[in-house]
Amino acid sequence: MAPASIVEDTDVLVVGAGMAGLSAAIAARDIGASVVVLEKAPETERGGNTRFSNGAIRAVYHGVEDIDALVGGLSAAERERCEFGSYSREQYYDDLARVTQYRSHPDMADMLVENSRDTLFWLQRQGLRFLPLYEWQFKLPNGRIRFSGGSALEVYGAGEGASEALFRTAERRGARVFYQTKALSLIDEGGRIAGVIARRDGEDVAIRARRVILACGGFEANTEWRTRYLGPSWDLAKVRGSRFNTGDGLRMALERGALPFGNWSGCHSASWDLNAPDVNELAYGTVFKRDDYLEGIVVNADGERFFDEGADIRALTYAKLGRAILAQPGQVAWQIFDKHGAARLHGEYRVKQSARFKAETLEALIAQFDGIKREACLTTIKNFNAAVRTDIPYDPGKKDGRCTEGLAIPKSNWALAIAEPPFEAYAVTCGITFTFGGLRVDGDCCVLDEGGQRVTGLHAAGEMVGGLFYFNYPGGSGLMSAAVFGRIAGRAAAQAALGT
């Protein structure tokens, strides 16, 4: 049934207010279009998954001078102790290809990589502040830091800092944000999208627009859709981000005949503390992330290792680990460290909510684990320790090749025996961040239908774009892709709406 009234008429209507949606709104306002943004969440929870991000952002950069310009001036001490290196287009393409098993669609990869550096400077002009991202880098024994892996920067204030900066800019430029307004369906007038039907204050209303941009995330917070598309046990995964990302935009577009595209059975999923709530809360942010598995070993309830903890740097492996844990008995695993590995754990491991165990002997440590085969676990550790290649030097400043030998599942780098007390362990499970399946878009982020034609008036950005990530993703490319595709969508939608 038609709604009772038309409450708004705008040039560009953006559905969703995370990094992608706000980037789209700002880009559209820069062209001169009037903009309305719909935010399903109340104002206190605004910002989508961006609010939950640690702020890492991956982009092409040419060297220390780019870093200096983006952070607003490096100190002499930072220049002295840091090897910032560079991150080329070729390196970005290579990392994206390797972690997605060479399935990332060339058009989507091109849009991300070729626009990443310029968009980073554009974000700076929109009020985002950046800091060198020391967390993911190689720490050298002499106190120096060697940057690697492409994510050289983080947003000051992490995801909340990024969100607040973009909201300030969008609102200052004249974009209007409607909170607690849920988009229900697209208005289709003779094959042209002309707005959305939304629910606001308990009433269904029409918000008309010359162009609509869907930027309201994937379906990671939708238990039923996770099970339908990702498979069995995914209803048991814990949600790392926004509880409002339930697939509304995807559903609306598919109902209109949009072409589903990309890895609909794939997602970003990481090792997450077993004590975390089923759906994350803003008060917790990223305190439940458990990404230091490369400092020790990880075992399942059968007491066995089930993946190579040292396969690559953290930024290129962590986003697929949640799926591996979810496939284990009981959807649980334990990260085990000795004195040396525990000393290198990041601060979030120490929060009081952690599922943490500590003991002076391995026997006493493992006795605290609920549901594990204890003797099998002790045998696994014994065999692992015996397999470590002690003739290869350990080097935390690079992929050192210090590996195990003779094990069915090797540890390819940074292999150290679990030998010196005290010992620590952390119970972990799968935490899902966002889903990879989305819509097919063209170079203007216009949504395409099943015949490969544009759905007139409809654009998509952010996690709603399919075809970019498969199986895994390079850390920091989520925020970057949101900004890149949001900016493209906003600019193209505004130009079309204004006829320029």
Side-chain angles (χ1 to χ4, degrees):
M1 296 179 62
S5 61
I6 298 171
V7 297
E8 292 291 337
D9 195 329
T10 187
D11 292 326
V12 175
L13 174 62
V14 181
V15 182
M19 174 73 86
L22 294 174
S23 294
I26 293 167
R29 285 296 299 143
D30 284 347
I31 300 296
S34 58
V35 176
V36 168
V37 179
L38 304 188
E39 171 59 289
K40 184 179 177 182
E43 186 169 359
T44 55
E45 296 182 73
R46 69 183 185 177
N49 271 359
T50 300
R51 283 283 295 280
F52 292 87
S53 167
N54 68 358
I57 193 161
R58 176 179 297 261
V60 170
Y61 69 95
H62 297 330
V64 65
E65 297 310 320
D66 273 358
I67 303 300
D68 183 74
L70 286 160
V71 304
L74 291 166
S75 68
E78 287 176 306
R79 284 177 174 267
E80 173 62 28
R81 72 187 180 98
C82 296
E83 301 173 17
F84 287 105
S86 62
Y87 192 59
S88 67
R89 297 166 54 255
E90 291 76 17
Q91 287 172 301
Y92 207 152
Y93 280 118
D94 184 58
D95 285 341
L96 184 60
R98 283 190 298 110
V99 302
T100 62
Q101 299 179 32
Y102 299 91
R103 288 181 179 268
S104 183
H105 193 281
D107 292 347
M108 302 297 101
D110 284 348
M111 290 170 72
L112 170 61
V113 174
E114 300 297 338
N115 288 284
S116 63
R117 180 175 179 271
D118 181 64
T119 299
L120 202 57
F121 281 95
W122 179 81
L123 286 170
Q124 184 190 47
R125 295 194 296 274
Q126 309 318 312
L128 271 70
R129 297 166 59 194
F130 297 103
L131 298 170
L133 178 60
Y134 296 117
E135 180 181 1
W136 282 358
Q137 316 308 330
F138 289 126
K139 310 299 192 299
L140 306 183
N142 60 3
R144 293 179 61 77
I145 299 175
R146 178 180 297 146
F147 279 63
S148 67
S151 290
L153 296 173
E154 62 180 326
V155 181
Y156 180 81
E160 184 164 0
S163 183
E164 290 305 308
L166 291 174
F167 270 109
R168 282 195 302 271
T169 299
E171 290 166 347
R172 186 174 64 249
R173 300 276 178 85
R176 292 178 296 153
V177 183
F178 296 167
Y179 296 103
Q180 292 182 277
T181 303
K182 174 184 170 69
L184 301 175
S185 61
L186 297 169
I187 299 172
D188 188 337
E189 294 183 346
R192 183 180 71 86
I193 303 304
V196 304
I197 305 299
R199 183 160 297 154
R200 188 180 185 195
D201 298 327
E203 179 185 6
D204 291 358
V205 296
I207 302 175
R208 296 187 60 82
R210 276 150 284 290
R211 289 277 158 164
V212 173
I213 302 173
L214 297 175
C216 45
F219 56 87
E220 65 276 1
N222 185 327
T223 304
E224 192 269 336
W225 273 37
R226 288 203 310 268
T227 308
R228 181 193 304 182
Y229 292 111
L230 303 183
S233 297
W234 279 98
D235 52 329
L236 304 176
K238 295 178 184 285
V239 179
R240 300 178 72 205
S242 173
R243 65 188 175 96
F244 297 100
N245 284 14
T246 55
D248 298 334
L250 292 169
R251 174 187 51 77
M252 292 190 298
L254 294 175
E255 288 174 349
R256 170 54 183 79
L259 178 65
F261 192 60
N263 189 195
W264 275 75
S265 63
C267 63
H268 175 306
S269 60
S271 182
W272 200 239
D273 198 275
L274 189 64
N275 282 352
D278 288 343
V279 179
N280 203 11
E281 301 171 18
L282 285 169
Y284 292 129
T286 60
V287 302
F288 293 112
K289 68 176 183 169
R290 300 291 175 260
D291 296 338
D292 288 339
Y293 44 88
L294 49 78
E295 304 291 355
I297 64 171
V298 185
V299 299
N300 61 18
D302 290 330
E304 299 174 347
R305 294 174 56 248
F306 55 95
F307 75 103
D308 181 350
E309 301 93 341
D312 210 325
I313 61 173
R314 181 185 295 107
L316 300 183
T317 58
Y318 84 102
K320 64 178 182 178
L321 184 52
R323 177 180 289 272
I325 297 172
L326 197 70
Q328 304 310 306
Q331 298 78 47
V332 66
W334 290 265
Q335 298 181 1
I336 301 176
F337 311 96
D338 77 349
K339 171 184 176 180
H340 301 291
R344 291 187 290 271
L345 300 180
H346 284 88
E348 62 266 11
Y349 275 76
R350 307 305 185 195
V351 298
K352 65 180 181 180
Q353 298 93 342
S354 293
R356 182 188 183 197
F357 308 92
K358 189 173 182 178
E360 289 297 318
T361 68
L362 287 168
E363 290 80 2
L365 182 78
I366 296 166
Q368 301 175 61
F369 300 173
D370 185 22
I372 197 169
K373 294 179 180 178
R374 294 183 173 87
E375 290 302 319
C377 184
L378 287 169
T379 298
T380 292
I381 296 172
K382 177 183 176 181
N383 292 340
F384 175 84
N385 289 348
V388 172
R389 289 280 303 275
T390 56
D391 58 313
I392 302 173
Y394 171 76
D395 187 347
K398 63 180 182 181
K399 289 168 65 175
D400 62 2
R402 184 181 169 105
C403 59
T404 58
E405 187 172 59
L407 299 179
I409 298 175
K411 185 171 183 180
S412 299
N413 294 280
W414 310 296
L416 290 173
I418 310 298
E420 290 197 42
F423 301 98
E424 290 186 25
Y426 296 80
V428 294
T429 188
C430 173
I432 182 170
T433 310
F434 64 90
T435 46
F436 291 161
L439 308 174
R440 183 72 166 100
V441 300
D442 64 14
D444 289 328
C445 287
C446 293
V447 174
L448 303 183
D449 66 16
E450 293 167 343
Q453 302 300 307
R454 287 183 169 184
V455 178
T456 305
L458 187 63
H459 301 254
E463 295 166 8
M464 293 195 58
V465 173
L468 183 60
F469 303 130
Y470 289 76
F471 310 115
N472 191 9
Y473 99 136
S477 55
L479 280 184
M480 190 76 260
S481 62
V484 164
F485 287 95
R487 185 185 179 198
I488 292 170
R491 185 168 54 222
Q495 289 170 341
L498 299 176
T500 59

